[in-house]
Amino acid sequence: AELTEAGHRAEAHALDVTDRAAVDAFAGGLDRCDVLVNNAGGALGTDPIAEADPADWRAMYEVNVLGVLHTTQALLPALVASGDGTVLILSSTAGLGTYEGGGGYVAAKHGAHAIAETLRLELCGQPVRVIEIAPGMVKTEEFALTRFRGDREKAAKVYAGVAEPLTADDVADTIAWAVTRPAHVNVDLLVLRPRAQASNYKVHREN
């Protein structure tokens, strides 16, 4: 809505990235593609590996890893044909390190990180750059609430005492900056954290 109000053309399409047929149909309906932002993802549960539900792991892998695979495979021909394509994978600091209770999500995001690194090698010499942005603590209504299966009290504790966690706008602004660099500039990996977060497990919290 904001884009159209500003005079730009924008269309929204609901798409399940785990449904390959739907992804292929979507890709087939585009006249061209210059930028692909793989933004779909999410976490389920905080159980230790010894007690984790394999169904949760499978669901996270389907979205965070196979979702990236489906959309990238479907749109890569158009990105190459554009002569100046960009594939951006929104991973996570969970794809670069580990933490207790995050096994399934960490494994999935490591998978997304591996896709970015491998794809960059495989496309070397092609007119497509591969950018990975790995955010740390981002406060959104959906992420923690989904992870804790609707438990608002547990979701709120994730951000308790953190003065300024990242917002969705912060991440969007970073994505916009990365994809608008000159074509010869590739932001291979950009780690984005709030100042209060020094690592996946060290966060400054105010009383």
Side-chain angles (χ1 to χ4, degrees), residues 93 135-139 158-159 162 165-166 192-194 197 203 205:
T93 53
M137 179 179 282
V138 183
K139 186 176 183 180
V158 172
Y159 312 105
V162 180
L166 297 178
L192 186 68
R193 287 190 174 105
Q197 185 182 30
V203 180
R205 299 179 188 272

Side-chain angles (χ1 to χ4, degrees), residues 91-98 105-114 132 134 200:
S91 61
S92 168
T93 53
L96 308 174
T98 62
Y105 182 63
V106 164
K109 285 304 187 183
H110 270 71
H113 172 64
E132 179 184 359
N200 286 348

Side-chain angles (χ1 to χ4, degrees), residues 171-187:
V171 177
D173 183 56
T174 304
I175 291 171
W177 176 83
V179 302
T180 54
R181 294 312 83 206
H184 71 286
V185 177
N186 193 85
V187 182

Side-chain angles (χ1 to χ4, degrees), residues 29-158:
L30 297 178
D31 295 331
R32 63 177 292 154
C33 181
D34 296 275
V35 178
L36 165 62
V37 177
N38 285 291
N39 184 51
L44 291 172
T46 56
D47 295 326
I49 289 174
E51 301 169 11
D53 185 345
D56 287 344
W57 282 50
R58 186 174 296 109
M60 286 185 281
Y61 191 86
E62 286 278 352
V63 176
N64 291 284
V65 181
L66 294 183
V68 172
L69 179 66
H70 293 325
T71 55
T72 302
Q73 285 183 335
L75 291 167
L76 195 53
L79 288 160
V80 172
S82 76
D84 184 19
T86 297
V87 176
L88 188 145
I89 295 174
L90 194 67
S91 61
S92 168
T93 53
L96 308 174
T98 62
Y99 58 92
E100 294 162 297
Y105 182 63
V106 164
K109 285 304 187 183
H110 270 71
H113 172 64
I115 290 176
E117 288 201 335
T118 306
L119 188 61
R120 192 177 299 115
L121 292 171
E122 294 174 348
L123 292 178
C124 187
Q126 295 292 317
V128 180
R129 59 185 175 179
V130 180
I131 296 171
E132 179 184 359
I133 294 178
M137 179 179 282
V138 183
K139 186 176 183 180
T140 65
E141 179 69 20
E142 299 84 7
F143 183 84
L145 201 59
T146 298
R147 185 168 208 170
F148 291 104
R149 308 182 197 284
D151 189 322
R152 293 188 176 277
E153 184 176 346
K154 285 185 178 179
K157 286 182 179 179
V158 172

